[in-house]
Amino acid sequence: MTTAAPAIELKGISKAFGPVQANRDISMSVARGTIHGIVGENGAGKSTLMSILYGFYKADRGEIFINGKPTPIPDSQAAIRAGIGMVHQHFKLVENFTVVENVILGAEDGALLRPSIAKARRLLTELSQEYGLKVDPDAVVEELSVGHQQRVEILKQLYRHADILILDEPTGVLTPSEADQLFRILERLKTEGKTIILITHKLREIMEITDTVSVMRRGEMTNTVKTSQTSPSELAEMMVGRKVLLQVDKTPAKPGDVVLRVEDLHVRRGGVDRIKGVSFQIRRGEILGIAGVAGNGQTELLEVLGGMIAATGGAVTLFNEPIDITGKHSNAQTRRARGIGHVPEDRQDEGLIMAFEAWENVAFGYHKDPKYNSGPLMNHAAIKADCADKMDRYDVRPPNPRLPARNFSGGNQQKIVVAREMDRAPDLLLIGQPTRGVDIGAIEFIHKQIIALRDQGKAILLVSVELDEIMGLSDRIAVMFDGRIMGERLPSETDQNELGLLMAGVVTDSTRGAA
Amino acid sequence: MDFLTILQILDSTVRLATPLLLACLAGLYSERAGVFDIGLEGKILAAAFFSAAVAFTSGSVWLGLLAGIAASMALAALHGVASITFRGNQLISGVAINFLAAGLTVVIAQTWFLQGGRTPQLSGAARFENIVLPGAASRIRDIAQQGPLGQIYSELISGHSIIVYVALAIVPLTWWVLYRTRFGLRLRAVGENPAAVDTAGVSVVGLRFAAVLIAGVLCGIAGAYLATALNAGFVKDMSAGRGFIALAALIFAKWRPWYALSACLLFGFFDAVGNRYQNIQLGEIIVPVQFMQALPYILVVIVLAGLVGKAIPPRAGGEPYVKER
């Protein structure tokens, strides 16, 4: 405590999985009472490094020093003993347990629960006041909002006396206002002397909250800089290894005829009204961005328009011709035949069959295309040739049609889906979370493709939980909350704050007045 | 139907429900920890054989009980190694254990006793005797003389083997362990979200093995009860599907100990009625005995079809735990 030794020091950490060198000779030092960001593309080795620090993996080589003392961390227990707590991207909570049960799990005081629970309840009240982490100790976790569940995860670590908190992509599931609250909590924790490591791919967050930032690329830690002495574009360049356009380059839209018109759409699923009367239209040469926190009806909107589920009410027309949305006379196949392309939100579940090879995936949904068939048989050679051509033009790496989909990285998987759906230049493109889990280089490429399709005079419905993406690509922005569209804005006339309020369902004078 | 007859049926209900209850609680521990156990049946069968064989050979029913528990735990350990350590499919491992037990018991019985795959009749100290509680009458003639309360005490409450009372005591014990102890909290957590347990620094493998071995002990007692208390010796396939009925009872009970008691008593009751009455006459209609025997299964189908509330299994049930990055 009295020494000025860094809270964490890593020296020469290396870790290989088979032939893949996930971490190569990584050294890093984080001063006590600071927030340290780690950025890097997918597969750059951030998660592996943190897993080593939390005892999930054992490093092949290298040493870990906690507060200046060499501290081997063979398992999670050792990490907890060393005062390291980790808040995972996907929460590790028992959903049907109460908050207090989740907090004491694994850190009970004795064989009987009663005394532990009483003590935890008392401590939780104290901690929640100390750090502004309000949460009801007796609430059942699955009934809490995502933001509150994350607080439970943080409380869990504080209850275990963690002095070093690792947060892995903590804002991915939060609304902007929840993210702001989280940042205030983190700053509070910092002033109380806690050390925080923040892993994120959002450069804005790095700039906003961290003191220092390390960049990882291909398993190596390439740079560590003071946040105040860098910029987002410099960080992006360090991550990718070349200049990257963070701002999407596009000309103003030149909207033409109405392509898609949706009127008073209703969708009920699992006994719950998911879409409660949504109306909008998209014109040629226009991108309509749907913003919103995941789970507010955007998924259903894409699936209804894509023909995957049926609507319970409303009308949809394409070029003034009605589309059957009852699910009785049409499906995803007939939608495609009418010129609707669909890049689904979840590429691994809905966009691809992971065990199938790239060329097979490229044919899905278009397998009846005459050029893929010769008589009653499929023309494999033609499909493979077409796949190789698409892979070339859409920069899929490695460009091997015979590789199973799961062997591509996230960004390249997405490029396969994008190539399949966009290369036929559909009149209407439905595209959900186009860059989720995709690295910066691929994001840039996919964004360019979307703009290019727009400039060909096609209509695009873009659904994304990434506000930056919505702001950067859309010509108009509609915000969905609880199955309704809370408002439509022009990107030039709105900002993240206003959209964030709309995403939380708040319609105030300021949000109304700004339009 | 007079009062004493009703009591006799209920008495029989308790006897027949006991092996179900033990097996059901075994399944409860295992499945609450996230390990499906189709192999209850096989473990009961193996325990029944080894308890009868050792009880006959040694003359001590207690040694028989220990042997039964040991046999059942050996199979439980096998299930654990296959499905926890090697992350095999839990259902397949369970089915394999059932086949293994069904075949091995008969083969070993034949080579050991040369009586066509059964053990010799057990008697005396090689069987669990019925316990007559203080002040209770044991002969039917004496019971008939008593008042209603005395009849309930003597016929229904008194006169069971020790295992019946033990099984009944395990119900509140299980509830207490599950909801009032650290072990119970962790056990329930590992069946719901093993990753939460793992990141909390607690061994998922250790907890699941503990649960599976407890299931082994309980199935062992159930099997020993079948062969040395309810019956007097082992015969081929004597478990007669009880392990599966116990699984059904477990679903019916929504994986809760007190509900498990009720479910097993209900299934035991149908069994008892089916045993006592060949056909039940309801006015003009005659309900055939086959219907009574099928009733527990029909009930399960109704339950599973969702008519009687919603039965939500532990969320991580059936899935081997693999550490993710």
Side-chain angles (χ1 to χ4, degrees):
Chain A
M1 295 280 179
T2 51
T3 61
I8 306 167
E9 197 172 6
L10 305 179
K11 281 188 184 163
I13 299 280
S14 290
K15 172 78 185 170
F17 296 102
V20 182
Q21 191 76 33
N23 283 165
R24 195 191 311 268
D25 192 25
I26 286 178
S27 298
M28 170 180 109
S29 152
V30 180
R32 165 171 294 280
T34 62
I35 300 181
H36 184 87
I38 297 183
V39 290
E41 297 194 279
N42 288 322
K46 297 170 296 192
S47 302
T48 304
L49 186 65
M50 291 305 115
S51 297
I52 288 170
L53 192 49
Y54 193 62
F56 252 46
Y57 294 137
K58 214 172 148 358
D60 300 336
R61 254 175 295 120
E63 284 179 292
I64 300 170
F65 295 82
I66 304 294
N67 296 323
K69 279 196 300 252
T71 312
I73 302 182
D75 52 31
S76 300
Q77 274 128 309
I80 293 166
R81 272 198 304 277
I84 300 173
M86 180 141 177
V87 176
H88 295 263
Q89 184 176 8
H90 305 287
F91 304 149
K92 308 288 184 189
L93 296 172
V94 183
E95 295 200 325
N96 53 1
F97 277 20
T98 63
V99 169
V100 69
E101 284 174 328
N102 266 293
V103 166
I104 62 170
L105 181 64
E108 308 90 341
D109 291 312
L112 296 185
L113 284 185
R114 201 182 289 261
S116 306
I117 288 187
K119 180 186 143 196
R121 202 174 272 134
R122 203 175 59 242
L123 266 170
L124 279 186
T125 321
E126 283 173 29
L127 285 172
S128 60
Q129 278 163 5
E130 196 177 344
Y131 298 109
L133 281 158
K134 266 187 82 158
V135 69
D136 173 12
D138 294 307
V140 176
V141 164
E142 62 194 344
E143 288 163 10
L144 296 175
S145 70
V146 179
H148 278 80
Q149 291 186 10
Q150 191 172 53
R151 290 183 184 183
V152 178
E153 280 284 19
I154 296 174
L155 283 169
K156 216 165 98 179
Q157 307 313 327
L158 296 176
Y159 185 77
R160 288 162 169 74
H161 308 291
D163 282 321
I164 299 162
L165 271 179
I166 307 169
L167 291 101
D168 189 5
E169 298 283 359
T171 59
V173 287
L174 302 182
T175 63
S177 73
E178 281 176 327
D180 281 345
Q181 286 173 23
L182 172 69
F183 287 166
R184 276 202 294 279
I185 291 166
L186 293 185
E187 265 161 6
R188 184 81 165 266
L189 289 167
K190 179 174 118 174
T191 55
E192 303 280 341
K194 308 276 184 196
T195 308
I196 293 162
I197 297 183
L198 181 70
I199 303 170
T200 179
H201 67 278
K202 296 182 184 171
L203 297 175
R204 195 164 47 83
E205 293 173 355
I206 292 285
M207 298 310 293
E208 191 177 329
I209 191 165
T210 62
D211 300 300
T212 48
V213 54
S214 295
V215 181
M216 289 189 72
R217 176 150 55 99
R218 292 193 198 133
E220 292 181 54
M221 194 156 271
T222 51
N223 297 76
T224 296
V225 290
K226 276 202 159 57
T227 310
S228 54
Q229 291 166 7
T230 186
S231 67
S233 54
E234 192 186 34
L235 285 176
E237 196 179 327
M238 287 188 232
M239 278 163 68
V240 185
R242 61 177 168 85
K243 281 234 177 282
V244 181
L245 279 177
L246 285 181
Q247 283 298 313
V248 188
D249 227 3
K250 64 169 191 171
T251 52
K254 300 181 208 66
D257 307 335
V258 173
V259 176
L260 177 77
R261 182 174 281 129
V262 174
E263 273 163 23
D264 197 28
L265 187 69
H266 287 262
V267 175
R268 193 175 169 80
R269 174 148 78 173
V272 182
D273 287 316
R274 299 291 180 179
I275 297 183
K276 307 170 180 173
V278 159
S279 305
F280 61 86
Q281 54 187 30
I282 313 179
R283 293 169 178 277
R284 281 183 184 279
E286 186 183 48
I287 299 175
L288 175 67
I290 304 274
V293 181
N296 277 292
Q298 308 96 306
T299 302
E300 286 76 9
L301 181 61
L302 282 176
E303 290 184 356
V304 161
L305 295 176
M308 294 163 73
I309 59 173
T312 38
V316 176
T317 60
L318 188 72
F319 294 119
N320 289 321
E321 293 283 324
I323 284 185
D324 168 53
I325 49 169
T326 61
K328 287 183 192 128
H329 312 292
S330 70
N331 54 31
Q333 180 78 47
T334 52
R335 297 288 151 86
R336 287 209 157 84
R338 291 194 54 178
I340 300 180
H342 183 188
V343 178
E345 286 188 309
D346 187 337
R347 63 174 163 271
Q348 303 203 340
D349 264 0
E350 295 169 346
L352 298 165
I353 296 182
M354 302 302 281
F356 279 26
E357 293 172 6
W359 66 274
E360 293 169 301
N361 274 297
V362 158
F364 284 138
Y366 302 99
H367 49 278
K368 291 184 179 168
D369 187 331
K371 76 174 179 193
Y372 286 167
N373 292 277
S374 53
L377 298 177
M378 300 210 76
N379 185 347
H380 288 189
I383 302 174
K384 280 173 199 155
D386 186 47
C387 179
D389 173 49
K390 284 191 167 75
M391 288 177 126
D392 181 42
R393 281 182 295 116
Y394 285 81
D395 192 29
V396 179
R397 277 176 278 184
N400 176 3
R402 296 301 309 270
L403 209 60
R406 76 161 84 83
N407 292 17
F408 291 91
S409 73
N412 284 302
Q413 287 171 4
Q414 186 72 340
K415 283 186 205 163
I416 294 176
V417 183
V418 163
R420 178 181 73 207
E421 301 297 336
M422 292 175 64
D423 201 42
R424 283 157 209 269
D427 291 319
L428 170 67
L429 177 72
L430 311 169
I431 183 162
Q433 318 301 347
T435 55
R436 177 183 280 169
V438 170
D439 49 57
I440 288 198
I443 289 176
E444 188 191 15
F445 181 84
I446 291 170
H447 284 176
K448 273 186 188 159
Q449 296 299 318
I450 294 175
I451 299 290
L453 192 68
R454 181 200 74 161
D455 292 343
Q456 288 175 43
K458 308 299 183 185
I460 292 161
L461 179 70
L462 164 75
V463 168
S464 175
V465 292
E466 300 284 348
L467 261 188
D468 290 329
E469 182 165 79
I470 291 280
M471 300 274 286
L473 287 179
S474 310
D475 298 311
R476 278 185 299 132
I477 300 171
V479 182
M480 274 191 88
F481 171 75
D482 194 26
R484 291 189 179 86
I485 289 184
M486 300 301 291
E488 265 190 39
R489 297 287 182 274
L490 296 176
S492 54
E493 293 173 356
T494 186
D495 56 23
Q496 300 245 356
N497 285 339
E498 189 197 9
L499 292 178
L501 284 173
L502 288 170
M503 282 164 72
V506 183
V507 184
T508 63
D509 285 345
S510 72
T511 58
R512 242 182 237 118
Chain B
M1 204 189 297
D2 65 296
F3 185 61
L4 196 53
T5 311
I6 295 174
L7 281 185
Q8 282 170 347
I9 293 176
L10 292 180
D11 177 65
S12 171
T13 297
V14 171
R15 290 166 196 275
L16 292 167
T18 296
L20 289 182
L21 179 60
L22 286 162
C24 187
L25 292 171
L28 191 147
Y29 277 100
S30 185
E31 299 207 351
R32 274 291 184 138
V35 182
F36 284 162
D37 197 350
I38 285 270
L40 296 174
E41 177 80 5
K43 291 201 276 272
I44 296 173
L45 195 60
F49 167 70
F50 279 99
S51 62
V54 171
F56 176 79
T57 312
S58 71
S60 160
V61 68
W62 292 103
L63 284 179
L65 175 67
L66 285 181
I69 292 175
S72 171
M73 284 183 79
L75 290 181
L78 186 64
H79 185 50
V81 168
S83 63
I84 304 170
T85 311
F86 292 110
R87 302 185 193 124
N89 185 301
Q90 298 171 2
L91 299 184
I92 292 177
S93 160
V95 169
I97 283 171
N98 288 339
F99 280 124
L100 195 65
L104 273 185
T105 47
V106 178
V107 170
I108 299 176
Q110 173 59 19
T111 31
W112 192 338
F113 299 107
L114 302 173
Q115 293 195 0
R118 54 196 299 158
T119 62
Q121 282 281 319
L122 303 178
S123 59
R127 275 196 77 192
F128 278 110
E129 296 296 333
N130 291 339
I131 296 174
V132 178
L133 295 176
S138 57
R139 279 183 306 179
I140 195 80
R141 190 183 306 168
D142 299 337
I143 294 174
Q145 302 292 320
Q146 292 177 310
L149 281 179
Q151 286 187 344
I152 291 175
Y153 183 65
S154 298
E155 177 63 31
L156 184 56
I157 297 177
S158 170
H160 297 291
S161 83
I162 177 96
I163 291 182
V164 172
Y165 301 108
V166 168
L168 290 172
I170 292 177
V171 175
L173 180 69
T174 298
W175 176 86
W176 185 80
V177 165
L178 227 46
Y179 295 103
R180 287 290 179 269
T181 68
R182 174 176 62 191
F183 175 71
L185 182 80
R186 292 176 175 185
L187 188 83
R188 284 183 290 134
V190 85
E192 293 289 338
N193 185 357
V197 175
D198 195 17
T199 50
V202 182
S203 163
V204 172
V205 169
L207 272 171
R208 288 194 162 170
F209 257 104
V212 165
L213 289 177
I214 290 173
V217 172
L218 292 176
C219 280
I221 303 175
Y225 174 82
L226 270 189
T228 63
L230 199 60
N231 299 290
F234 171 85
V235 291
K236 177 177 185 283
D237 289 337
M238 75 180 304
S239 48
R242 283 186 173 83
F244 295 108
I245 300 186
L247 279 181
L250 185 60
I251 297 169
F252 201 13
K254 299 176 181 174
W255 293 267
R256 292 171 195 199
W258 285 109
Y259 290 17
L261 175 63
S262 321
C264 291
L265 283 175
L266 187 66
F267 288 172
F269 175 72
F270 289 127
D271 219 1
V273 172
N275 281 350
R276 187 168 179 105
Y277 300 101
Q278 292 304 303
N279 300 301
I280 296 175
Q281 198 154 1
L282 295 172
E284 292 296 300
I285 309 155
I286 293 170
V287 182
V289 64
Q290 286 85 352
F291 178 78
M292 290 308 292
Q293 286 166 349
L295 201 53
Y297 300 97
I298 296 172
L299 268 178
V300 169
V301 172
I302 293 171
V303 171
L304 291 183
L307 280 185
V308 190
K310 211 173 170 191
I312 304 169
R315 280 169 220 192
E319 309 229 336
Y321 177 61
V322 184
K323 246 184 210 203
E324 52 177 317
R325 293 216 211 177

